[in-house]
Amino acid sequence: MPELRHSDELRYWRKVVRAAALCHDLGHLPFSHAGEKEGLLPDGWNHERLTVEFIRSQEMRDIWQELTPPLRTDDIAKLAVGAKEGAKFIDSAFSDWEAILAEIIVGDAFGADRMDYLLRDSHHTGVAYGRFDLYRLIDTLRILPPAPEETEIQSSEPTLGVEEGGLHSVEALLLARYAMFSQVYFHRVRRIYDIHLREFLKRWLPGGQFSISVEDMLKLTDVEVMHALRQASLESNDLGVLPNRIIRRQHFRELYQRNPDDISEGIDAATAIHRAACEEFGSENVRLDQDSKGGGIVEFPVLGRDGRIVSSVSLSQILENLPEAAIDYVFVDPNIQDSAREWLKENRKDIIESAKEQSHESIE
Amino acid sequence: MPELRHSDELRYWRKVVRAAALCHDLGHLPFSHAGEKEGLLPDGWNHERLTVEFIRSQEMRDIWQELTPPLRTDDIAKLAVGAKEGAKFIDSAFSDWEAILAEIIVGDAFGADRMDYLLRDSHHTGVAYGRFDLYRLIDTLRILPPAPEETEIQSSEPTLGVEEGGLHSVEALLLARYAMFSQVYFHRVRRIYDIHLREFLKRWLPGGQFSISVEDMLKLTDVEVMHALRQASLESNDLGVLPNRIIRRQHFRELYQRNPDDISEGIDAATAIHRAACEEFGSENVRLDQDSKGGGIVEFPVLGRDGRIVSSVSLSQILENLPEAAIDYVFVDPNIQDSAREWLKENRKDIIESAKEQSHESIE
Amino acid sequence: MPELRHSDELRYWRKVVRAAALCHDLGHLPFSHAGEKEGLLPDGWNHERLTVEFIRSQEMRDIWQELTPPLRTDDIAKLAVGAKEGAKFIDSAFSDWEAILAEIIVGDAFGADRMDYLLRDSHHTGVAYGRFDLYRLIDTLRILPPAPEETEIQSSEPTLGVEEGGLHSVEALLLARYAMFSQVYFHRVRRIYDIHLREFLKRWLPGGQFSISVEDMLKLTDVEVMHALRQASLESNDLGVLPNRIIRRQHFRELYQRNPDDISEGIDAATAIHRAACEEFGSENVRLDQDSKGGGIVEFPVLGRDGRIVSSVSLSQILENLPEAAIDYVFVDPNIQDSAREWLKENRKDIIESAKEQSHESIE
Amino acid sequence: MPELRHSDELRYWRKVVRAAALCHDLGHLPFSHAGEKEGLLPDGWNHERLTVEFIRSQEMRDIWQELTPPLRTDDIAKLAVGAKEGAKFIDSAFSDWEAILAEIIVGDAFGADRMDYLLRDSHHTGVAYGRFDLYRLIDTLRILPPAPEETEIQSSEPTLGVEEGGLHSVEALLLARYAMFSQVYFHRVRRIYDIHLREFLKRWLPGGQFSISVEDMLKLTDVEVMHALRQASLESNDLGVLPNRIIRRQHFRELYQRNPDDISEGIDAATAIHRAACEEFGSENVRLDQDSKGGGIVEFPVLGRDGRIVSSVSLSQILENLPEAAIDYVFVDPNIQDSAREWLKENRKDIIESAKEQSHESIE
C-alpha cells in the first residue's frame, strides 16, 4: 500500500480521517433514526446520504479549502459514510486504502462510531453493560492481509484487523452492542415512542416528509420538533392526541411480545395477532413493531503471537455466531388495554392455530 | 414446598445458607486449585470434600451448636458443596429444598461463589471485563417450576430461575466468566506457574501429597509454601532449581499454543508436538498443558412478564451455546527456547502430517 | 419527640418526606437558577416560593387527597422548601419534627437535594470529582441532641447529625460541592452564557419578567426558550444578536479574572476594572460577574463511638473552615477582545492604584 | 536551566527519573513503615537510606552500567530519595535540576510515589475516597520560577509547579491523602496491629534489630515474618502470645481515643490516661499510640491563564491550611477491656483534672 510509505500521504489522510469522523453523524434527522423510516424521507435518502450533502455544501467546502493542507471534499465524504453506503451516491470508486480508513469510522466490528455511541449511551443511561476495553482495542488495531482461509470469498487486499491480544476486546464490544440493543434500544416503551413520534411527524411535516435541503435541515432540530409537540398538545383538535401519547405518557401498551414457544411453532405470531387485533379493535388502536440487530458472523484477520494470520471466526465462537437482538411487539391503545388482554387470553390459541394452517396452505 | 410457608423454617434455613456460604471455600489448599491435580491429593479427595471435613470438625461443630437456633452440621455441609459433589461423600440425600438453597451458593448459572470471584478478581487484577449487574441479578432470582419444554429431562420440582428482566444479567455473568478464563485464568504465564508450583509441591510435601487431616491443613497455608519456596531457592542442590522457576521467573516458555488451523485438521496438535519435542529435547525440558471451561447449554426457568414460564435456552442464544475458553500449550525450558522454536518451524508440518496419519490408522 | 414513638405518625411522615422530596425542584424556571436573578421574577419570588405554589395548586391538591392516607398539602410544602425559605411564605410555624424532616431534603450539610445534584452533575459532565460515599453517609444519619458546646447558640431540640463513622463522608460531600462550584458551575464560559441568556429573556419575556401563574409556568420550559432563541437568531433585527451569543458561541470573552495579588491589596479590582472598561468601551460591551459559594462553618452534632455527642466543628478542621469558591469576572465583546486586553495591560496598575486611593478616601 | 536545552541531557535524565522511580521503595522493610520505628533499625537508618544502599549495591551497579547510555549510580540514588533525605547520606550536593527531578518522585504536593499509593490503596481497600484526577494533574505540571511573593523565603531557582487548571487536582490529591490517613492508615485496628508486630519483631529479630546488610535484607520479606509469626503461634512459650494478638485477633482494644473536649482543655489526655492506666493495670497491659499527618501549608508556583505566576497558597484556602489527620489512642489487653472501661468512666474526670494541674505547675 503506497500510502503507508509516504509521510505526506500519511499526514494528509490523518487529517481526512479526523474530519470525516467529526462529520459522520451530521446528516441525522431530529431524534436520530426514528425519522428515517416509513416514508418520512424521500425514496433513496437516509442519514448517510444527508451527511454527504452537508459535507459537500458550499459552507463546508469553504472550510475544507481553508485548512492547511486543504482537504478534498469527496475524500471526507467517502470516509465519513464508508464504501457500502458511499457506493450508492458517490461516483468515484473507493480505493483499498480509502476502504480501510472508512472502516476505522464506520466498521461493523470496530468502527469508532459504534465504540463511541455504546460507551456514551451506557454511561448516560447508567446501565451496567455496554462497556469494553476501548484502549486495548485501539492499541491492537492493525492493517493486515486477509487470513488464508478467507481468501476465496474476498479480495486479497489488506484490511483492518487486530492483534490476537485485542480479540477479546472486540468480542466484548460486540456483546456490549447486543446488550444495549436488548436492554435499551429495543425496550418496548422506547420503541412505541418512536412509533408515536413518526405518526406525529407525518401529520406535522409539510407534505408528511422531511425536506432534504441542507438549509431546511439546519432549521429543524430536536428543539423545533419538541416545541411543535408541546404546541400541538395544547390544541383541542385531533392533532393534539398524538403529542400527548408522548408528553402525557398516553402511549400504546404492550399486548404481545416475542415468545419462544410461538417462535418454535415456526410462524410469525406477532403478525397474526396484529391482524386479528386490527379486525377486533380497529387498526387505529393497534400497532405492530418488528426489528432485529446483530447475529451472524463477524470476520476479520487476526495477527497471532506466532506471526500467523488467522480468521477471527476460527478463534472466537462469539464472532462465529453473534447473538441476535430481536423484537416482535403488538401494542394497543391504553383505553382498550384490559379488554384486549382479555381477548388475547381467550383467542391466542386459535389465532396461532389458524396462522399455522394458513402458513401450511400457503406452502402447499 | 412446605419450607416456604413456615416462618420458622425460613428463618432457620436463612442462617444455614449464610453459614454454608461462608464455609464454601474452607477446603481450598494453598494456592487454590493448583494443588488439586496430579496426585497431590489422595484419590477421591478434592476441595469440596475437604470443606465438608472442616464443617464436620469438632471445633466447628461446637460453633454450630452454640448458635441460636443451633444449626445441624450436615445441613451446612450439604448447602456448602451442593448436590453434585455432596452425593459423593454425604450420606443423606438432598431434598428439593436443599438442592435449591445449595444452588444459591454453588449454582453454575448464578451461584454466589461464582458471582463473588468474578467481580473480586476483575477488580483486583484491574481488567476491564468480568463485570455484570450483580444487584439486578439477585433482585430477579426466583424459585420457579421448570419450563414446560424442560419437563421430560428433569424433575417437575421447583428450581432456581430468574424473572425475564434478569436474563441479560445472567448472560453477562456467564460472558464475564468466559472473558476471565480466556484472558486471566488461562494466561500462559499463570498456567506454567501452576505447573512449576505442582512440581515443587510434589518434591517438598511429605510423600509427595497433601495431608487430608484437618489439623495438618490448618498448619499449611500459602505462607508456609511461599516460605518453603524461598528457603529451597537458597539451596544449591537440585531442589533449588524448581523455586527459581517461579521466584526468579526462570519459568518454561511457550513453544506452541492452540491454533485454529491445526484444530480444523481434526487432530490434537499440542499432544503431537509435545511428544515430538520430548523425543528431541528430553521430557524434562518440555511440558504439555490442556484445559477448557464453559461451553454448552445453561438451562433454567425464566418467568415472563406475561406470567408464562419458558426455558432460558429458548430466550437466549448465548445460554443455548455458551462460548468455551480452551487452551493447549506446549512449554519448553528457557535454555532451549530458541533452538526449540527453530526446530518447530522446520518440523511442524511433518509432525502434524504424521499425527494425521496415525489418527487415521488408529481409526482404521 | 412524640412523632418518633408512634408507628402511624412515622408511616404518615415517611410518605410526606417522599412527596416533598419529589416536589422540591418543581418551581425551577427554564434553565434553572439563571432566571431567578436581575428582576426576571417579581420581587419576593424565587424557585422555592414557586415550588410552594405548585404544591398548593388545585391539580396537585387533588393528588394529595387521593393518596392513602391523604397528605396535608402544607406538610408537603413545608418539607419541600425547609424552615428558612418556608418562613417567608408559609403561615404556620415549623415544629422541631418538621424542621428535622425538611433538613433531610434541603439541609446544607447532608440534604438529599445537594447529594443528588452533585453526584448527577459529576457523572454527566464526566469530571473526576464531586464524588463521596453516599451510602455510608445515609447509613450514619441520626436524630441527635445538640452537642453540649453548641447549646448556647441554638435550641436544645434534637436535630439531624451523624455517627462519627460518617463524618468523613460529610467532609467529602462538602469538598465535592466546593470542587463542582470551582470547576464546573463557576466556569467562565458557563457564567457568561447565563448572562447572555438573562439578557435575551429580558427582551423576550412579556414585560421582561416570568409570569408567576402556575398555568403559564407549565407552558414555559427549556424547550420554549430554546425555540425562541433559535427563531430569534434567524431574524436580522437587533434581537437576533443576543441568541447568537449563545447559539453561534459569539459570547463575551474574559478580560479579567479574580487574582490573588489584587485581592491582597484589599480592593475590589473587578469592579474598578469594570467601571474603567465601561468608560473606555461603553457599558454595552462589558459585563461584570461576581459570586461566591460555601466557606464558613458547618456545625451539627456527631455521635462518638464512646456515646458522647460533640460538635462537627470540634472534630473536623474542614467543617470548621470550609473553603469558599469565589469568582470575579469582567467580560468584553469578542469584537474588542484584543484591544481591551491591550488596554488593560497598559492601565491595570493605574486602575488598581486609583481604586486604592478612592477606597481610602471613602473610609476617611 | 541548561539541562532543558540539550536533547542529550533530557534523554539521559529521562532514563534516570524512570530508574529512580522504580527503585524509590526498594529499601522498605517487611510490612513497610511498621519496622522503621522504636529501635528496630540502627540509629540514623530509615527506608530511604536502605534504598540508597540497594541502588549502590554491586548487583545494581552492574545493571546501571549495562544500560545504554550507562547511568551514574548516584544520579539515581539522589532522585530516588530526594534532597531532604539525600542530604543526610549522599555526599555530593543536589543541583537545582536534580532537586526538581526528585520532586517528581518524592514531592509532598505531587510526587509520583504519593499519587501511586493513594490510588492503589483506595482501589484495593475498596473505599470511596482517595481519588483525584491523575491525568489532569500530570498534564498541568510545569517547571516554573517561584511566585514573586515567595521569593524572600526561598531560592530564586525554578521549581515544580502547575498550571492554574491543575490546581484543583492538587487540592483533590492532598484531600485524598487526608481522607486515606483519617479512614484507613490511622484506623485503630490497623494501628494496634503495627504495635503488636513491632513487639514480635523485637523479640524475634537477632539482637532485636533488622540487619542493614543488603544481602540479609533480601532474605527477609513479608513471607519470612509471616512464617515466623505462624510458627511462633504454635509454641506454648511466652513468645507464642505475641503472634496470636495478630493471627487470632487477640489484639489490644481501644480504651480511649482523641476527643475534642479533652483537646480543648489544652492538655494531652491520652498521655495522662495512659500513665494512670499503667499504674492501675501494669504497663504490660496498656499501649499508647500518637501520630499525625498533613496539616500546614503546601506552597508551589502556579501559572495563571494571564501568564502571571502566583503562589498556590494565595489561590487555594485548602493549600493554605491543609487539614491534619491526628490520632491519640490508648489500648488495653482484651482480658481487662471491660474493667478498664469501667475504671476510666469513674476516673476520667480526675485524671484530666490532675493533668491540668500538673501542666500548670510545670509552667509555673
Side-chain angles (χ1 to χ4, degrees), chain B residues 20-33:
Chain B
L22 285 170
C23 294
H24 170 75
D25 278 338
L26 279 185
H28 269 297
L29 299 164
F31 294 92
S32 195
H33 292 279

Side-chain angles (χ1 to χ4, degrees), chain D residues 31-51:
Chain D
F31 294 92
S32 195
H33 293 277
E36 283 182 65
K37 289 182 198 161
E38 301 186 22
L40 288 167
L41 274 178
D43 275 356
W45 287 84
N46 57 14
H47 79 269
E48 284 92 351
R49 187 160 174 192
L50 289 166
T51 289

Side-chain angles (χ1 to χ4, degrees), chain C residues 89-308:
Chain C
F89 33 79
I90 299 178
D91 289 338
S92 78
F94 280 67
S95 70
D96 288 320
W97 174 248
E98 288 163 353
I100 288 176
L101 295 186
E103 281 293 293
I104 294 176
I105 299 170
V106 304
D108 273 356
F110 12 71
D113 176 50
R114 184 168 285 185
M115 295 195 210
D116 166 60
Y117 79 69
L118 287 173
L119 292 175
R120 208 149 29 84
D121 291 348
S122 170
H123 181 82
H124 288 289
T125 57
V127 294
Y129 32 77
R131 316 283 167 86
F132 57 92
D133 194 340
L134 173 69
Y135 302 106
R136 185 157 197 200
L137 206 170
I138 291 176
D139 270 1
T140 56
L141 283 181
R142 291 288 175 273
I143 297 178
L144 296 172
E149 67 267 39
E150 296 180 292
T151 42
E152 296 163 52
I153 48 162
Q154 43 175 75
S155 104
S156 61
E157 287 300 324
T159 175
L160 213 57
V162 295
E163 291 177 14
E164 192 179 333
L167 188 64
H168 290 293
S169 301
V170 181
E171 291 179 351
L173 160 65
L174 290 166
L175 291 170
R177 182 168 174 261
Y178 161 75
M180 287 299 285
F181 269 97
S182 300
Q183 298 275 73
V184 178
Y185 308 136
F186 279 174
H187 189 277
R188 61 195 181 284
V189 178
R190 214 207 63 75
R191 291 294 295 197
I192 189 63
Y193 267 50
D194 263 15
I195 290 176
H196 291 316
L197 180 66
R198 276 196 294 269
E199 290 166 353
F200 173 78
L201 288 170
K202 207 148 214 153
R203 286 286 303 268
W204 177 73
L205 288 170
Q209 276 196 332
F210 284 107
S211 163
I212 53 168
S213 123
V214 164
E215 207 164 319
D216 290 346
M217 285 205 48
L218 287 174
K219 283 191 197 138
L220 190 60
T221 67
D222 290 18
V223 167
E224 277 69 31
V225 174
M226 280 294 288
H227 187 252
L229 273 168
R230 285 181 50 86
Q231 287 304 108
S233 78
L234 300 174
E235 292 171 32
S236 54
N237 61 24
D238 65 331
L239 181 61
V241 175
L242 293 173
N244 286 327
R245 299 243 176 268
I246 291 173
I247 290 174
R248 297 186 173 267
R249 295 190 68 84
Q250 294 162 356
H251 60 83
F252 278 32
R253 263 44 176 196
E254 179 189 292
L255 172 67
Y256 171 83
Q257 72 162 330
R258 187 184 176 80
N259 179 293
D261 291 353
D262 299 342
I263 287 166
S264 66
E265 301 282 355
I267 51 115
D268 180 353
T271 299
I273 288 166
H274 175 249
R275 196 183 309 119
C278 284
E279 272 168 38
E280 181 74 18
F281 302 103
S283 63
E284 71 280 11
N285 292 314
V286 192
R287 299 289 182 278
L288 175 65
D289 191 17
Q290 301 184 293
D291 206 347
S292 71
K293 275 284 170 183
I297 287 178
V298 180
E299 189 157 35
F300 51 84
V302 179
L303 176 63
R305 277 203 315 283
D306 58 4
R308 292 205 278 174

